[in-house]
Amino acid sequence: MTAPLEVTDVTDTVTDTIVLPAVETARPATLEARAVSAWFGSHQVLSRVSLTMPAGRVTALIGPSGCGKSTFLRTLNRMHELIPAAQFGGEVLFEGEDIYDPSWRLTDARRLIGMVFQKPNPFPAMSIYDNVVAGLRLTGTRVSRRERDEVVEESLTRAGLWKEVHDRLRKPGGALSGGQQQRLCIARALAVRPQVLLMDEPCSALDPTSTRRVEETIHELAGEVTVVIVTHNMQQAARVSQQCAFFLAEQGTPGGIVEAGPTDDIFNTPQDQRTADYVAGRFG
């Protein structure tokens, strides 16, 4: 099993040291949820959700607020279990292996399955350069200065940010615009070469120009990494994804998937009237 990653908390301790091959992009992986259920204490928020997220494709999770989309996303790399009183049931298979199996460490799942959050969260006191390599340091990954430089350039290029910041890598990451900060967070997640990238409403706090640039970045990543994105923007889901899953929680019941399939089918020929009503803007 590969080495751990946690890029959201610089206080995490690291016990493993690995050597990262220079500028080697990991292949995308298939992620499959089987009968996933989730609770916060006694409150069940998801009930037996099953979904396959194909390798190298973009899967959009759509649906009204409160239907469990973000919770489902967080079960896919075991972030849900960090919440006090959170409980989980079911399986999440990464290339056929259940990441909730006792043989998997929590941090293994985080390295292979990265996360970009709704609000950009660069480490404000760190430079752009240090933000990108933060994950390498947290994992104890041993690389030479030349290899670090290559990883920084590669990651910022893949995130669509290199041309904008290559001449100010030592400036604080917190000084970037909101859209640039979000792409910096994408670069930070990509630096450890995940095979899946989870994105929880990555554009909801951004202006239209920044949103367009992040969407372009998602398009550029397609085929290189499996992307699963939560979005409330139906136009965005239609633009960036090849597959959609429509979540709904009705009359106090836990959230679940009403319908999933190719994006064109979900938007143009949905099989369930509730899906048709949602994508047409009749509720939600």
Side-chain angles (χ1 to χ4, degrees):
M1 192 59 61
T2 45
L5 165 70
E6 174 56 72
V7 298
T8 59
D9 186 351
V10 294
T11 64
D12 278 7
T13 58
V14 177
T15 58
D16 295 334
T17 300
I18 64 170
V19 178
L20 185 70
V23 195
E24 177 183 306
T25 301
R27 62 180 177 83
T30 294
L31 205 59
E32 181 183 0
R34 291 184 178 175
V36 165
S37 298
W39 294 260
F40 295 109
S42 60
H43 176 57
Q44 186 173 7
V45 293
L46 286 174
S47 179
R48 301 187 62 80
V49 174
S50 296
L51 180 67
T52 298
M53 293 144 277
R57 308 284 279 176
V58 180
T59 298
L61 311 181
I62 62 174
S65 297
C67 62
K69 303 183 302 298
S70 292
T71 296
F72 175 70
L73 194 75
R74 289 168 181 262
T75 68
L76 298 179
N77 72 343
R78 297 181 57 178
M79 290 202 69
H80 176 69
E81 66 191 63
L82 296 181
I83 300 171
Q87 298 178 64
F88 170 86
E91 297 177 313
V92 175
L93 304 184
F94 177 94
E95 292 290 279
E97 293 187 31
D98 185 7
I99 68 172
Y100 284 86
D101 186 272
S103 64
W104 275 67
R105 291 173 299 175
L106 177 66
T107 48
D108 289 331
R110 305 283 178 73
R111 190 191 70 80
L112 294 168
I113 308 168
M115 173 78 88
V116 175
F117 297 90
Q118 180 176 2
K119 182 179 179 181
N121 63 339
F123 302 127
M126 286 188 183
S127 68
I128 295 168
Y129 185 103
D130 288 339
N131 260 279
V132 177
V133 300
L136 304 181
R137 291 171 175 164
L138 289 167
T139 59
T141 302
R142 291 186 289 111
V143 293
S144 68
R145 174 59 183 269
R146 177 185 62 81
E147 289 168 334
R148 283 201 307 273
D149 290 346
E150 289 175 344
V151 168
V152 169
E153 182 173 353
E154 174 207 16
S155 301
L156 288 170
T157 298
R158 293 177 73 199
L161 192 56
W162 173 254
K163 290 182 180 179
E164 298 171 39
V165 302
H166 67 90
D167 57 348
R168 46 181 172 142
L169 295 177
R170 297 301 176 183
K171 299 294 184 181
L176 297 174
S177 69
Q180 289 174 325
Q181 287 185 28
Q182 190 64 295
R183 283 182 281 148
L184 177 59
C185 293
I186 293 172
R188 186 176 65 192
L190 293 173
V192 293
R193 293 145 197 175
Q195 293 174 253
V196 178
L197 186 61
L198 311 177
M199 309 182 84
D200 191 2
E201 295 190 67
C203 301
S204 64
L206 304 182
D207 61 83
T209 299
S210 297
T211 294
R212 177 176 54 82
R213 192 63 193 91
V214 171
E215 289 182 4
E216 289 172 353
T217 297
I218 294 171
H219 279 296
E220 290 161 6
L221 291 174
E224 298 180 11
V225 64
T226 303
V227 176
V228 186
I229 179 173
V230 170
T231 179
H232 281 101
N233 186 322
M234 294 301 94
Q235 291 76 24
Q236 181 174 80
R239 287 192 297 264
V240 304
S241 70
Q242 293 83 49
Q243 171 178 281
C244 272
F246 171 50
F247 282 68
L248 190 62
E250 297 181 290
Q251 299 177 345
T253 61
I257 293 178
V258 172
E259 187 172 352
T263 299
D264 286 346
D265 292 350
I266 294 295
F267 279 86
N268 298 318
T269 56
Q271 299 302 301
D272 191 290
Q273 186 59 44
R274 293 169 295 177
T275 308
D277 289 343
Y278 182 75
V279 299
R282 298 188 185 102
F283 72 96

